[in-house]
Amino acid sequence: MKSMISKLKSHGWGYLFLLPALLIMVLFNFYPIIWSFIVSFNKTKAIEIKQAGLFDIPGKFVALDNYMQVLKNDLFIKSIGNTAYFAIIFIPLTLILSLLLAVYINKKFRGVNFFRTVLFIPYIISVISSSLIFLALFNSESGFINAVLKQFNIDGPNWLSNEWLAMPVIAIMSIWRRVGYFMLMYLAGLQNIPTSLYEVAEIDGATPFQRFRYIVVPLLSNITIVIFVLLLRDVLTVFQEVYVMTGGGPGNSTVTVPFLIYNEAFNYLRYGTAAAMSYILFMITVVVVIFQNKFTKKKHSTR
Amino acid sequence: MKKIVSILLVCMLALTAFAGCTSEEPEKVKETTEEKATNTDKGEEKAEQEAKEPTEIRFQIVWDVNSGRGQNIQTVVDTFNESQNDVTVSLITGTSDDKQLITSLLSDDVPEVIQMGVKNTKTIGAEGLLKELNDFEDTYKDIFYPELIEFFKYDGALYGAPWIGHTIELVYNEDLLKEAGLERAPETWDEVMEYSQIIEEKTDATGLGIAGMQHNDAIWMSTPIIMSYGGKFIDVVDGKEVMAINTPEGIKGLEMYQAFASMYPGAAEKNGGNVMEDFRNQKIAMEFQGPWGVTDIWKNGNPFVVGATLMPAGPAGRFVDGGPYALSIPATLEGEKYDAALTFMNYLQDTTAQEMIMNGEYDENTDAYYPYRVPMRKDMANSKYFQENPQFLVYVKGLEFVIDSFPTPGFNQVANEVITVELNKLASGATTPEEAAKVIEEKGNEILRAFYGD
């Protein structure tokens, strides 16, 4: 206690400066988290939210009813499957492409900076704009992709109207947007690998693939873990792309969990079940992160 | 000094007395005490009125105020503002997006009068965010078709005052019909089917374009067909909403929808906008559209003669999808502002304001005005615009058969998550009407039970 008081005395001004940021955090982060957790056990009408004071709990307590409803909802289960389908395409491809592009632009050649810039640009384009670009590209009648396929006498499919193809198109767009950013992260890692390692490997007769496999991949594993976590976050929050490109269709094949939460809260005004869905998603995220941490630790300890 | 002040005061009094004697009119001199008192009251009242600022309210529309539609509505608002001194209305850009409307209504700074679509009015009203207008229901029934009032009611409470809107009718390409040797527009679904086959045989176009994409358009395009065969998606039994499509009539309706979709290439991937585009490009000869379906052809240089006729009838009668807009007041509005909102709403429902809507939106590309919605009053047929442009009367006539394709808040989720999916499958031929009806019934009922917490 004494040490705490002495710390406060010696760093008092510092804590004072932190206070506004802390208050904003509490108000806009922690308070809504706790509030929505409480709402997940209630049946709440919009007017009850409007009339509730800052510390009031709106609606009627229904215990675990909202959670039970969500778990019985076929579309919620389907949306988890859709999200997993998206993740299976999105995460490995983004990781592989980012790494390969980083290795490629790590070399010195004319116009390398131009390539780096071009590859990074999609990351700064808004999701809505990117989605609209891809909608035009993959349009079955007037799209560029089908026009190219036509040159090879192939009748392109209706990409976004096909239950199995719509999600991959969304994933391709998401990869295109992010690959430049993660490529730069890998590039930073690559530039930290001592060139002597490559030279020694070359003297030992290692092929370029072997140098990539035994030097680059292991030494970038920490960055890979960070990127994996960031990609996982993107998977669990994929919403705007779906909203703009497919609206969840066709046949609910692109309904993701965040999209469903959005619909539940803002289209059907069922705040309780929407909050329950959010917390189930949160629990799934926690489980995935625990597994990923265990896997990573195991991998590191066996090295 | 005192003397000087006294002299000045006496002089001022004398001047005032002279002024009073000389400037007064003879009648005023003869005023009785009573008259004097009355005149004083009137004067005070007038002065009070002059001193009182008009009540300022905002009118939020679903379109951009700078758009052609916004500008058309602005003229109506301007006329209102010029007609009286008690209320001043400013027009503001809004949205038809229910998410944004709810957010706006949950805030403390909310517009006093809000234009709302059918779905929003019921859904948001049911949440308690809109003022109940039950006291005006009888008045509205005198002016508007009673069916129309039902659009804005939920659980016995009225949440919106009818204003303008549309009905969806059969819009057709007269030239293509003539090319196929067809002299008049089809009047029944059987005729539509027959016409479609003839058009396909005799022209480069196909018959009826219909949306099959997983989208709202598929619902409003299919519901009038299904209902005209005696089917319906939803019903109320013992006060509870239940799915009602899995009947022989409902299945027949789904069959007809599938039959029309199968005759329109790529129907499963088309939404209302795509259908409209195909109609404009003469790929199809018939479509379901509101008044904008006609003006879209006018705007694009009249590539062919366009006609509009009532939605075809089936064995169970004629059913027309309607999209009226309501005027709603936030639940929290009270006092002067509430009165002002009512005054303005009454004005918007008046024949003059209703007819002004028909002047339409300005299109700078063609330097002309085009109607985009029609008035909802049932007594507009004799107004000047309709006398000069009778082709639009069909959209008002359609109000007699109007149905609400999204009848309850619970139905919205069923429509989004189940019906549109099954219609999409029907359009692509991936399912049968029997199977679709069964799935819609089972999954729909599950959703309804969960939605209402039964």
Side-chain angles (χ1 to χ4, degrees), chain A residues 43 45-47 50 69 74-75 141 158 161 243 248-252 260 262 264 266-271, chain B residues 97-99 102 105-108 123 126-129 214 269-270 332 413 416-417 421 446 450-452:
Chain A
K43 195 174 179 189
K45 273 189 156 194
I47 191 73
K50 187 176 171 74
Q69 268 187 35
D74 290 345
L75 191 56
E141 282 177 24
N158 292 311
S161 301
Y243 185 81
N252 293 328
L260 196 63
Y262 171 82
E264 195 76 5
F266 296 106
N267 270 335
Y268 316 134
L269 310 178
R270 300 199 309 158
Y271 306 102
Chain B
D97 185 298
D98 46 358
K99 281 75 79 179
I102 287 166
L105 283 159
L106 286 174
S107 78
D108 290 327
T123 317
E127 289 294 307
L129 293 171
Q214 188 179 342
E269 291 98 41
K270 309 264 181 165
T332 47
Q413 188 173 358
N416 257 357
E417 295 179 2
V421 177
E446 264 174 43
F451 191 90
Y452 294 109

Side-chain angles (χ1 to χ4, degrees), chain B residues 197-268:
Chain B
Q197 281 154 357
I198 297 171
I199 288 163
E200 201 169 334
E201 281 166 22
K202 298 197 174 171
T203 71
D204 293 335
T206 44
L208 177 73
I210 200 162
M213 192 186 254
Q214 188 179 342
H215 193 276
N216 277 353
D217 295 334
I219 298 269
W220 63 255
M221 285 199 187
S222 62
T223 306
I225 303 175
I226 291 162
M227 289 188 79
S228 69
Y229 279 92
K232 52 179 149 181
F233 279 120
I234 198 162
D235 204 355
V236 177
V237 178
D238 298 331
K240 279 187 181 175
E241 287 171 16
V242 288
M243 298 311 296
I245 191 70
N246 197 10
T247 60
E249 295 82 10
I251 292 169
K252 177 70 188 164
L254 291 174
E255 246 173 48
M256 288 308 288
Y257 170 78
Q258 190 174 39
F260 287 124
S262 68
M263 295 176 81
Y264 176 37

